[in-house]
Each structure stands twice: as C-alpha cells, then as structure tokens.
Amino acid sequence: GGSSSGTITDEDELTGILKKLSLEKYQPIFEEQEVDMEAFLTLTDGDLKELGIKTDGSRQQILAAISELNAGKGRERQILQETIHNFHSSFESSASNTRAPGNNPCT
C-alpha cells in the first residue's frame, strides 16, 4: 500500500466513526452491503439487525452516533435557513421603504 491520496472518502469517514466506537469489526458488513455514509445516516435499529449486528449495545452505540451526526447536519441546515430568513426579512423591509409609484391619486 502506501498510496493514500489524502482525501477522506465517505468510507473512511464511516470507518473512523466505527473505530471511535470500537466497533470496526462491523465495517466489513457495511462494506459488503455497500452502505455509504449517506445510507449509514438513515439506518434504523431494524436495519442494523438485518445487517447482522445482533448485539443491543453495539446497535445503541451506532444509533447514538447516527443521531449525533444527523443533529450536526441539522444544525448546519438550521443556520443556513436562518441566514436565508434574515436575508429575506431585511430585503422585505427595504422593499417596503421604497414607495411604489402610482399611489398618488390623480386630481
């Protein structure tokens, strides 16, 4: 080996998560089932059982990691939505300040 490109792929990220949980023994299962990071984040308890992860503790750890990762993603999304919302409200207030032509009645 020794030809690491230096870029982190989804697979590496998933491996890293499993290593952090000391559950890297399950990595071949995810590889075999072609579970990438995106798919990993959608896994349920039932999915993990089907994949062959029989131990309750292991499944709990994985599910906790998944929800943590999803919460992190949710936070980013929330910040983005707030930014968009703030932009819209500031745009609307500046739009309402400019008077639309044609409001003066003709005499």
Side-chain angles (χ1 to χ4, degrees):
S3 62
S4 66
S5 56
T7 56
I8 293 181
T9 62
D10 279 357
E11 211 174 279
D12 291 339
E13 198 179 344
L14 187 50
T15 307
I17 290 160
L18 292 172
K19 279 197 176 126
K20 222 182 279 183
L21 299 171
S22 304
L23 298 173
E24 60 266 36
K25 64 180 174 187
Y26 293 121
Q27 202 227 329
I29 293 175
F30 292 115
E31 246 173 62
E32 205 175 291
Q33 300 300 319
E34 296 180 12
V35 176
D36 61 4
M37 197 61 201
E38 207 158 306
F40 177 74
L41 293 175
T42 67
L43 294 175
T44 64
D45 193 48
D47 294 331
L48 294 173
K49 278 182 193 163
E50 272 178 45
L51 285 170
I53 299 168
K54 305 270 191 278
T55 321
D56 283 347
S58 299
R59 287 200 313 276
Q60 292 303 318
Q61 280 182 282
I62 291 169
L63 290 168
I66 289 170
S67 69
E68 210 170 287
L69 288 161
N70 281 325
K73 283 195 161 178
R75 244 198 314 279
E76 282 173 33
R77 201 171 290 136
Q78 198 179 349
I79 290 167
L80 183 68
Q81 282 173 342
E82 280 171 18
T83 308
I84 291 167
H85 177 76
N86 290 343
F87 173 77
H88 278 306
S89 51
S90 67
F91 177 76
E92 280 164 19
S93 64
S94 69
S96 61
N97 288 345
T98 58
R99 195 178 304 174
N103 278 357
N104 299 339
C106 293
T107 49

Coordinates of all heavy atoms in Angstrom, one line a residue, residues 18-103:
L18 N -16.7 4.1 13.2 CA -16.8 2.8 13.8 C -15.6 2.5 14.7 O -15.7 1.9 15.8 CB -16.8 1.7 12.7 CG -18.1 1.6 11.9 CD1 -18.0 0.7 10.7 CD2 -19.3 1.2 12.7
K19 N -14.4 3.1 14.3 CA -13.2 2.9 15.1 C -13.4 3.7 16.4 O -13.0 3.2 17.5 CB -12.0 3.5 14.4 CG -11.4 2.4 13.4 CD -10.0 2.8 13.0 CE -9.4 1.7 12.1 NZ -8.9 2.2 10.9
K20 N -14.0 4.9 16.3 CA -14.2 5.7 17.5 C -15.1 5.0 18.5 O -14.9 5.1 19.7 CB -14.9 7.0 17.1 CG -14.3 8.2 17.8 CD -15.0 9.5 17.4 CE -14.5 10.1 16.1 NZ -15.2 11.4 15.8
L21 N -16.1 4.2 18.0 CA -17.0 3.4 18.8 C -16.4 2.1 19.2 O -17.1 1.3 19.9 CB -18.3 3.2 18.0 CG -19.1 4.5 17.6 CD1 -20.2 4.1 16.7 CD2 -19.6 5.2 18.8
S22 N -15.2 1.8 18.7 CA -14.6 0.5 18.9 C -15.5 -0.6 18.3 O -15.6 -1.7 18.9 CB -14.3 0.2 20.4 OG -13.5 1.2 20.9
L23 N -16.1 -0.3 17.2 CA -17.0 -1.3 16.5 C -16.5 -1.5 15.1 O -17.3 -1.9 14.2 CB -18.4 -0.7 16.5 CG -19.1 -0.5 17.8 CD1 -20.4 0.2 17.7 CD2 -19.3 -1.8 18.6
E24 N -15.2 -1.3 14.9 CA -14.7 -1.5 13.5 C -14.8 -2.9 13.0 O -14.7 -3.2 11.8 CB -13.2 -1.0 13.4 CG -12.2 -1.8 14.2 CD -12.0 -1.1 15.6 OE1 -12.9 -0.5 16.1 OE2 -10.8 -1.1 16.1
K25 N -15.1 -3.9 13.9 CA -15.3 -5.3 13.4 C -16.6 -5.4 12.5 O -16.7 -6.3 11.8 CB -15.5 -6.2 14.6 CG -16.7 -5.9 15.5 CD -16.8 -6.9 16.7 CE -17.9 -6.5 17.6 NZ -18.0 -7.3 18.8
Y26 N -17.4 -4.4 12.6 CA -18.6 -4.4 11.8 C -18.4 -3.7 10.4 O -19.3 -3.8 9.6 CB -19.8 -3.7 12.5 CG -20.3 -4.4 13.7 CD1 -20.3 -3.8 15.0 CD2 -20.8 -5.7 13.7 CE1 -20.7 -4.5 16.1 CE2 -21.2 -6.4 14.8 CZ -21.2 -5.8 16.0 OH -21.6 -6.4 17.1
Q27 N -17.3 -3.1 10.2 CA -17.0 -2.4 9.0 C -17.2 -3.3 7.7 O -17.8 -2.8 6.8 CB -15.7 -1.8 9.0 CG -15.5 -0.6 8.1 CD -14.3 -0.7 7.2 OE1 -13.3 -1.2 7.7 NE2 -14.4 -0.2 6.0
P28 N -16.7 -4.5 7.8 CA -16.9 -5.4 6.6 C -18.4 -5.6 6.2 O -18.7 -5.7 5.1 CB -16.3 -6.7 7.0 CG -15.3 -6.4 8.1 CD -15.9 -5.2 8.8
I29 N -19.3 -5.6 7.2 CA -20.7 -5.7 7.0 C -21.2 -4.6 6.2 O -21.9 -4.7 5.2 CB -21.5 -5.8 8.3 CG1 -21.1 -7.1 9.1 CG2 -23.0 -5.7 8.1 CD1 -21.8 -7.2 10.4
F30 N -20.8 -3.3 6.6 CA -21.3 -2.1 5.9 C -20.7 -2.1 4.5 O -21.4 -1.7 3.5 CB -20.9 -0.9 6.6 CG -21.6 -0.7 8.0 CD1 -20.9 -0.7 9.2 CD2 -23.0 -0.5 8.0 CE1 -21.6 -0.6 10.4 CE2 -23.6 -0.3 9.2 CZ -22.9 -0.4 10.4
E31 N -19.4 -2.6 4.3 CA -18.8 -2.6 3.0 C -19.5 -3.6 2.1 O -19.8 -3.3 1.0 CB -17.3 -3.0 3.2 CG -16.4 -1.9 2.8 CD -14.9 -2.3 3.1 OE1 -14.4 -3.3 2.6 OE2 -14.3 -1.6 4.0
E32 N -19.8 -4.8 2.7 CA -20.4 -5.8 1.9 C -21.8 -5.4 1.4 O -22.2 -5.7 0.3 CB -20.6 -7.0 2.9 CG -20.7 -8.4 2.2 CD -20.7 -9.5 3.2 OE1 -19.7 -9.7 3.9 OE2 -21.8 -10.1 3.4
Q33 N -22.5 -4.7 2.3 CA -23.9 -4.2 1.9 C -23.9 -2.9 1.2 O -24.9 -2.3 0.9 CB -24.7 -4.1 3.2 CG -24.9 -5.4 4.0 CD -25.6 -6.5 3.2 OE1 -26.5 -6.2 2.4 NE2 -25.1 -7.7 3.3
E34 N -22.7 -2.4 0.9 CA -22.5 -1.1 0.2 C -23.2 0.0 0.9 O -23.9 0.8 0.3 CB -23.0 -1.3 -1.3 CG -22.1 -2.3 -2.0 CD -22.6 -2.4 -3.5 OE1 -23.4 -1.6 -4.0 OE2 -22.1 -3.4 -4.1
V35 N -23.0 0.0 2.2 CA -23.6 1.1 3.0 C -22.6 2.3 3.0 O -21.5 2.1 3.6 CB -23.9 0.7 4.4 CG1 -24.4 1.8 5.3 CG2 -25.0 -0.4 4.4
D36 N -22.9 3.4 2.4 CA -22.0 4.5 2.4 C -22.5 5.5 3.5 O -23.4 5.2 4.3 CB -22.0 5.3 1.1 CG -23.3 5.8 0.6 OD1 -24.3 5.7 1.4 OD2 -23.4 6.3 -0.5
M37 N -21.8 6.6 3.7 CA -22.1 7.5 4.8 C -23.5 8.0 4.8 O -24.2 8.0 5.8 CB -21.1 8.7 4.7 CG -21.0 9.5 5.9 SD -20.4 8.5 7.3 CE -21.0 9.5 8.7
E38 N -24.0 8.3 3.6 CA -25.4 8.8 3.5 C -26.4 7.7 3.9 O -27.3 8.0 4.6 CB -25.6 9.2 2.0 CG -26.7 10.3 1.9 CD -26.6 11.1 0.6 OE1 -25.5 11.6 0.3 OE2 -27.6 11.1 -0.1
A39 N -26.2 6.5 3.4 CA -27.0 5.4 3.8 C -26.9 5.1 5.3 O -27.9 4.8 6.0 CB -26.7 4.2 3.0
F40 N -25.7 5.2 5.8 CA -25.4 4.9 7.2 C -26.3 5.8 8.1 O -26.8 5.4 9.1 CB -23.9 5.1 7.5 CG -23.5 5.0 8.9 CD1 -23.5 3.7 9.5 CD2 -23.2 6.1 9.7 CE1 -23.1 3.5 10.9 CE2 -22.8 5.9 11.1 CZ -22.8 4.7 11.6
L41 N -26.4 7.1 7.7 CA -27.1 8.1 8.5 C -28.6 7.8 8.5 O -29.3 8.5 9.3 CB -26.9 9.5 8.0 CG -25.4 10.0 8.2 CD1 -25.2 11.3 7.5 CD2 -25.1 10.1 9.7
T42 N -29.1 6.9 7.7 CA -30.6 6.7 7.6 C -30.9 5.3 8.3 O -32.1 4.9 8.3 CB -31.1 6.6 6.2 OG1 -30.5 5.5 5.5 CG2 -30.7 7.9 5.4
L43 N -29.9 4.6 8.8 CA -30.1 3.3 9.3 C -31.0 3.3 10.6 O -30.8 4.2 11.4 CB -28.8 2.6 9.6 CG -27.9 2.2 8.4 CD1 -26.6 1.7 8.9 CD2 -28.6 1.2 7.5
T44 N -31.8 2.3 10.7 CA -32.7 2.2 12.0 C -32.2 1.0 12.7 O -31.4 0.2 12.2 CB -34.1 2.0 11.6 OG1 -34.3 0.8 10.9 CG2 -34.7 3.2 10.7
D45 N -32.8 0.8 13.9 CA -32.4 -0.4 14.7 C -32.7 -1.7 13.9 O -31.9 -2.6 13.9 CB -33.3 -0.4 16.0 CG -32.7 -1.4 17.0 OD1 -31.5 -1.4 17.2 OD2 -33.6 -2.2 17.5
G46 N -33.8 -1.7 13.2 CA -34.2 -2.8 12.4 C -33.2 -3.1 11.3 O -32.9 -4.3 11.0
D47 N -32.8 -2.0 10.6 CA -31.8 -2.1 9.6 C -30.5 -2.8 10.1 O -29.9 -3.7 9.5 CB -31.4 -0.8 9.0 CG -32.6 -0.1 8.3 OD1 -33.4 -0.9 7.7 OD2 -32.6 1.1 8.2
L48 N -30.1 -2.3 11.3 CA -28.8 -2.9 11.9 C -29.0 -4.3 12.2 O -28.0 -5.1 12.0 CB -28.5 -2.1 13.1 CG -28.1 -0.6 12.9 CD1 -27.9 0.2 14.2 CD2 -26.8 -0.5 12.0
K49 N -30.1 -4.7 12.7 CA -30.4 -6.2 12.9 C -30.3 -7.0 11.6 O -29.7 -8.0 11.6 CB -31.8 -6.3 13.5 CG -31.9 -6.1 15.0 CD -33.3 -6.3 15.6 CE -33.4 -5.8 17.0 NZ -34.8 -5.7 17.4
E50 N -30.9 -6.4 10.6 CA -30.9 -7.1 9.3 C -29.5 -7.2 8.8 O -29.1 -8.2 8.1 CB -31.7 -6.3 8.3 CG -33.2 -6.8 8.3 CD -34.0 -6.0 7.3 OE1 -33.6 -5.8 6.2 OE2 -35.2 -5.6 7.7
L51 N -28.6 -6.2 9.0 CA -27.3 -6.2 8.6 C -26.5 -7.3 9.4 O -25.4 -7.7 8.9 CB -26.6 -4.9 8.8 CG -27.0 -3.8 7.8 CD1 -26.5 -2.4 8.3 CD2 -26.5 -4.1 6.4
G52 N -27.0 -7.7 10.5 CA -26.3 -8.8 11.2 C -25.7 -8.3 12.5 O -24.8 -9.0 13.1
I53 N -26.0 -7.1 12.9 CA -25.4 -6.6 14.2 C -26.4 -6.9 15.3 O -27.4 -6.3 15.5 CB -25.2 -5.0 14.1 CG1 -24.2 -4.8 12.9 CG2 -24.7 -4.5 15.4 CD1 -24.1 -3.3 12.5
K54 N -26.1 -8.1 15.9 CA -27.0 -8.7 16.9 C -27.0 -8.1 18.2 O -28.0 -8.1 19.0 CB -26.7 -10.2 17.0 CG -26.7 -10.9 15.6 CD -28.1 -11.5 15.3 CE -28.1 -12.4 14.1 NZ -28.1 -11.7 12.8
T55 N -25.8 -7.5 18.6 CA -25.7 -7.0 20.0 C -26.4 -5.7 20.2 O -26.2 -4.7 19.5 CB -24.2 -6.8 20.3 OG1 -23.4 -7.8 19.7 CG2 -23.9 -6.7 21.8
D56 N -27.3 -5.7 21.2 CA -28.1 -4.5 21.5 C -27.2 -3.3 21.8 O -27.4 -2.2 21.3 CB -29.0 -4.7 22.7 CG -30.2 -5.6 22.4 OD1 -30.5 -5.7 21.2 OD2 -30.9 -6.0 23.3
G57 N -26.1 -3.5 22.6 CA -25.2 -2.4 22.9 C -24.6 -1.8 21.7 O -24.5 -0.6 21.6
S58 N -24.1 -2.6 20.8 CA -23.5 -2.1 19.6 C -24.5 -1.3 18.7 O -24.1 -0.2 18.3 CB -23.0 -3.3 18.7 OG -22.0 -4.0 19.5
R59 N -25.7 -1.8 18.6 CA -26.7 -1.1 17.8 C -27.0 0.2 18.5 O -27.1 1.2 17.8 CB -28.0 -1.9 17.7 CG -27.8 -3.1 16.7 CD -29.2 -3.6 16.2 NE -30.1 -3.8 17.3 CZ -30.2 -4.9 18.0 NH1 -29.4 -5.9 17.8 NH2 -31.1 -5.0 19.0
Q60 N -27.1 0.3 19.8 CA -27.4 1.5 20.5 C -26.3 2.5 20.3 O -26.6 3.7 20.0 CB -27.5 1.2 22.1 CG -28.7 0.4 22.5 CD -30.0 1.0 22.0 OE1 -30.2 2.2 22.1 NE2 -30.9 0.2 21.5
Q61 N -25.0 2.1 20.3 CA -23.9 3.0 20.1 C -24.0 3.5 18.7 O -23.7 4.7 18.5 CB -22.6 2.2 20.3 CG -22.2 2.1 21.7 CD -20.8 1.4 21.8 OE1 -20.7 0.2 21.7 NE2 -19.8 2.1 22.0
I62 N -24.2 2.7 17.7 CA -24.3 3.1 16.3 C -25.4 4.1 16.1 O -25.3 5.1 15.5 CB -24.4 1.9 15.4 CG1 -23.1 1.1 15.4 CG2 -24.7 2.3 13.9 CD1 -23.2 -0.3 14.7
L63 N -26.6 3.8 16.7 CA -27.8 4.6 16.5 C -27.5 6.0 17.2 O -27.9 7.0 16.6 CB -29.0 4.0 17.1 CG -29.5 2.8 16.3 CD1 -30.6 2.0 17.1 CD2 -30.1 3.2 15.0
A64 N -26.8 6.0 18.3 CA -26.5 7.2 19.0 C -25.6 8.1 18.1 O -25.8 9.3 18.0 CB -25.8 6.9 20.3
A65 N -24.6 7.4 17.5 CA -23.7 8.1 16.6 C -24.4 8.7 15.4 O -24.1 9.8 15.0 CB -22.6 7.2 16.2
I66 N -25.3 7.9 14.9 CA -26.1 8.4 13.7 C -26.9 9.6 14.1 O -26.9 10.6 13.4 CB -27.0 7.2 13.2 CG1 -26.2 6.1 12.5 CG2 -28.1 7.8 12.2 CD1 -27.0 4.9 12.2
S67 N -27.6 9.6 15.2 CA -28.4 10.7 15.6 C -27.6 11.9 15.9 O -28.0 13.1 15.6 CB -29.3 10.3 16.8 OG -28.6 10.2 18.0
E68 N -26.4 11.7 16.5 CA -25.5 12.8 16.7 C -25.0 13.5 15.4 O -25.0 14.7 15.3 CB -24.3 12.3 17.5 CG -23.6 13.3 18.4 CD -22.6 12.7 19.3 OE1 -22.9 11.9 20.2 OE2 -21.4 12.9 19.0
L69 N -24.7 12.6 14.4 CA -24.2 13.1 13.1 C -25.4 13.8 12.4 O -25.2 14.9 11.8 CB -23.8 12.0 12.3 CG -22.4 11.4 12.7 CD1 -22.2 10.0 12.1 CD2 -21.3 12.2 12.3
N70 N -26.6 13.3 12.5 CA -27.7 13.9 11.9 C -28.1 15.2 12.6 O -28.5 16.2 11.9 CB -29.0 13.0 12.0 CG -28.9 11.9 10.9 OD1 -28.4 12.2 9.8 ND2 -29.4 10.7 11.2
A71 N -27.9 15.3 13.9 CA -28.1 16.5 14.6 C -27.1 17.6 14.2 O -27.5 18.8 14.0 CB -28.0 16.3 16.1
G72 N -25.9 17.2 14.0 CA -24.9 18.1 13.5 C -25.2 18.7 12.1 O -25.2 19.8 11.8
K73 N -25.7 17.8 11.2 CA -26.2 18.2 9.9 C -27.4 19.1 10.0 O -27.4 20.1 9.3 CB -26.6 17.0 9.1 CG -25.4 16.2 8.5 CD -25.8 15.3 7.4 CE -24.6 14.8 6.6 NZ -25.0 13.9 5.5
G74 N -28.3 18.8 10.9 CA -29.4 19.6 11.1 C -29.1 21.0 11.6 O -29.7 22.0 11.2
R75 N -28.1 21.1 12.4 CA -27.6 22.4 12.9 C -27.1 23.3 11.8 O -27.5 24.4 11.6 CB -26.5 22.2 14.0 CG -26.9 22.7 15.3 CD -25.7 23.0 16.2 NE -24.8 21.9 16.2 CZ -24.9 20.7 16.9 NH1 -26.0 20.5 17.6 NH2 -24.0 19.8 16.8
E76 N -26.3 22.7 10.9 CA -25.8 23.4 9.7 C -27.0 23.9 8.9 O -27.0 25.0 8.4 CB -24.9 22.5 8.9 CG -23.5 22.3 9.4 CD -22.7 21.3 8.6 OE1 -22.9 21.2 7.4 OE2 -21.9 20.6 9.3
R77 N -27.9 23.0 8.7 CA -29.1 23.3 7.9 C -29.9 24.5 8.5 O -30.3 25.4 7.8 CB -30.0 22.1 7.7 CG -30.9 22.2 6.5 CD -31.6 20.8 6.3 NE -30.7 19.8 5.8 CZ -30.6 18.6 6.3 NH1 -31.5 18.2 7.2 NH2 -29.8 17.7 5.8
Q78 N -30.0 24.4 9.8 CA -30.8 25.4 10.6 C -30.1 26.8 10.4 O -30.7 27.8 10.2 CB -30.8 25.1 12.0 CG -31.9 25.8 12.8 CD -32.0 25.4 14.2 OE1 -31.4 24.4 14.6 NE2 -32.7 26.1 15.0
I79 N -28.8 26.8 10.5 CA -28.0 28.1 10.4 C -28.2 28.6 9.0 O -28.5 29.8 8.8 CB -26.5 27.8 10.6 CG1 -26.3 27.5 12.1 CG2 -25.7 29.0 10.2 CD1 -24.9 27.0 12.5
L80 N -28.2 27.7 8.0 CA -28.4 28.2 6.6 C -29.8 28.8 6.5 O -30.0 29.8 5.9 CB -28.3 27.0 5.7 CG -28.4 27.3 4.2 CD1 -27.2 28.1 3.7 CD2 -28.4 26.0 3.4
Q81 N -30.8 28.1 7.0 CA -32.2 28.6 6.9 C -32.3 30.0 7.6 O -33.0 30.8 7.1 CB -33.2 27.6 7.5 CG -33.4 26.4 6.6 CD -34.3 25.3 7.3 OE1 -34.4 25.3 8.5 NE2 -34.8 24.5 6.4
E82 N -31.7 30.1 8.8 CA -31.8 31.4 9.5 C -31.1 32.5 8.7 O -31.7 33.6 8.6 CB -31.0 31.3 10.8 CG -31.9 30.6 11.9 CD -31.1 30.3 13.2 OE1 -30.0 30.9 13.3 OE2 -31.6 29.5 13.9
T83 N -30.0 32.2 8.0 CA -29.4 33.2 7.1 C -30.3 33.6 6.0 O -30.4 34.8 5.7 CB -28.1 32.6 6.6 OG1 -27.3 32.0 7.6 CG2 -27.3 33.6 5.8
I84 N -30.9 32.6 5.4 CA -31.8 32.9 4.3 C -33.0 33.7 4.8 O -33.4 34.7 4.2 CB -32.3 31.6 3.7 CG1 -31.2 30.9 2.9 CG2 -33.5 31.8 2.7 CD1 -31.5 29.5 2.5
H85 N -33.5 33.3 6.0 CA -34.7 34.0 6.6 C -34.3 35.5 6.9 O -35.1 36.4 6.5 CB -35.1 33.3 7.9 CG -36.2 34.1 8.6 ND1 -37.5 34.0 8.1 CD2 -36.2 34.9 9.7 CE1 -38.3 34.8 8.9 NE2 -37.5 35.3 9.9
N86 N -33.1 35.7 7.5 CA -32.7 37.1 7.8 C -32.5 37.9 6.5 O -32.8 39.1 6.5 CB -31.3 37.0 8.5 CG -31.5 36.5 9.9 OD1 -32.6 36.4 10.5 ND2 -30.4 36.1 10.5
F87 N -32.0 37.3 5.5 CA -31.8 37.9 4.2 C -33.2 38.4 3.7 O -33.4 39.5 3.2 CB -31.1 37.0 3.2 CG -31.1 37.6 1.8 CD1 -30.1 38.6 1.5 CD2 -31.9 37.2 0.8 CE1 -30.1 39.2 0.2 CE2 -31.9 37.8 -0.5 CZ -30.9 38.8 -0.7
H88 N -34.2 37.5 3.7 CA -35.5 37.8 3.2 C -36.1 38.9 4.0 O -36.7 39.8 3.4 CB -36.4 36.5 3.3 CG -36.2 35.6 2.1 ND1 -36.3 36.0 0.8 CD2 -35.9 34.3 2.1 CE1 -36.1 35.0 0.0 NE2 -35.8 33.9 0.7
S89 N -36.1 38.9 5.3 CA -36.7 39.9 6.1 C -36.1 41.3 5.9 O -36.7 42.3 5.9 CB -36.7 39.5 7.6 OG -35.5 39.1 8.0
S90 N -34.7 41.3 5.7 CA -34.1 42.6 5.5 C -34.4 43.1 4.1 O -34.6 44.3 3.9 CB -32.6 42.5 5.7 OG -32.0 41.7 4.7
F91 N -34.6 42.2 3.2 CA -34.9 42.5 1.8 C -36.4 43.1 1.8 O -36.6 44.1 1.2 CB -34.9 41.3 0.9 CG -35.3 41.6 -0.5 CD1 -34.4 42.2 -1.4 CD2 -36.5 41.1 -1.0 CE1 -34.8 42.5 -2.7 CE2 -36.9 41.4 -2.3 CZ -36.1 42.1 -3.1
E92 N -37.3 42.4 2.5 CA -38.7 42.9 2.5 C -38.8 44.3 3.2 O -39.5 45.1 2.7 CB -39.5 41.9 3.3 CG -39.9 40.7 2.5 CD -40.4 39.5 3.3 OE1 -40.8 39.8 4.5 OE2 -40.4 38.4 2.8
S93 N -38.1 44.5 4.3 CA -38.2 45.8 4.9 C -37.6 46.9 4.1 O -38.2 48.0 4.0 CB -37.4 45.8 6.3 OG -36.1 45.6 6.1
S94 N -36.6 46.6 3.3 CA -36.0 47.7 2.4 C -37.0 47.9 1.2 O -37.1 49.0 0.7 CB -34.6 47.3 1.9 OG -34.7 46.2 1.0
A95 N -37.7 46.8 0.8 CA -38.6 46.9 -0.3 C -39.8 47.8 0.1 O -40.4 48.5 -0.7 CB -39.1 45.5 -0.7
S96 N -40.3 47.6 1.4 CA -41.5 48.3 1.8 C -41.1 49.8 2.1 O -42.1 50.6 2.2 CB -42.0 47.7 3.1 OG -41.1 47.7 4.1
N97 N -39.9 50.1 2.2 CA -39.5 51.5 2.5 C -39.6 52.4 1.2 O -39.9 53.5 1.2 CB -38.0 51.6 3.0 CG -38.0 51.1 4.4 OD1 -39.0 51.0 5.1 ND2 -36.7 50.9 4.9
T98 N -39.3 51.7 0.1 CA -39.4 52.5 -1.2 C -40.9 52.5 -1.6 O -41.5 51.5 -1.7 CB -38.6 51.8 -2.3 OG1 -39.1 50.4 -2.5 CG2 -37.1 51.8 -2.0
R99 N -41.4 53.7 -1.9 CA -42.8 53.8 -2.2 C -43.0 53.5 -3.6 O -42.3 53.9 -4.5 CB -43.2 55.3 -1.9 CG -44.7 55.4 -1.9 CD -45.2 56.8 -1.6 NE -44.6 57.3 -0.4 CZ -44.7 58.5 0.1 NH1 -45.4 59.4 -0.7 NH2 -44.2 58.9 1.2
A100 N -44.1 52.6 -3.8 CA -44.4 52.2 -5.2 C -45.0 53.4 -5.9 O -45.8 54.1 -5.4 CB -45.4 51.0 -5.1
P101 N -44.6 53.6 -7.2 CA -45.2 54.7 -8.0 C -46.7 54.4 -8.3 O -47.1 53.2 -8.3 CB -44.4 54.7 -9.3 CG -43.8 53.3 -9.4 CD -43.7 52.8 -8.0
G102 N -47.4 55.4 -8.5 CA -48.8 55.3 -8.9 C -49.7 55.3 -7.6 O -50.9 55.0 -7.8
N103 N -49.2 55.5 -6.4 CA -50.0 55.5 -5.2 C -50.7 56.9 -5.1 O -51.7 57.0 -4.3 CB -49.2 55.2 -4.0 CG -49.0 53.7 -3.8 OD1 -49.5 52.9 -4.6 ND2 -48.2 53.4 -2.8

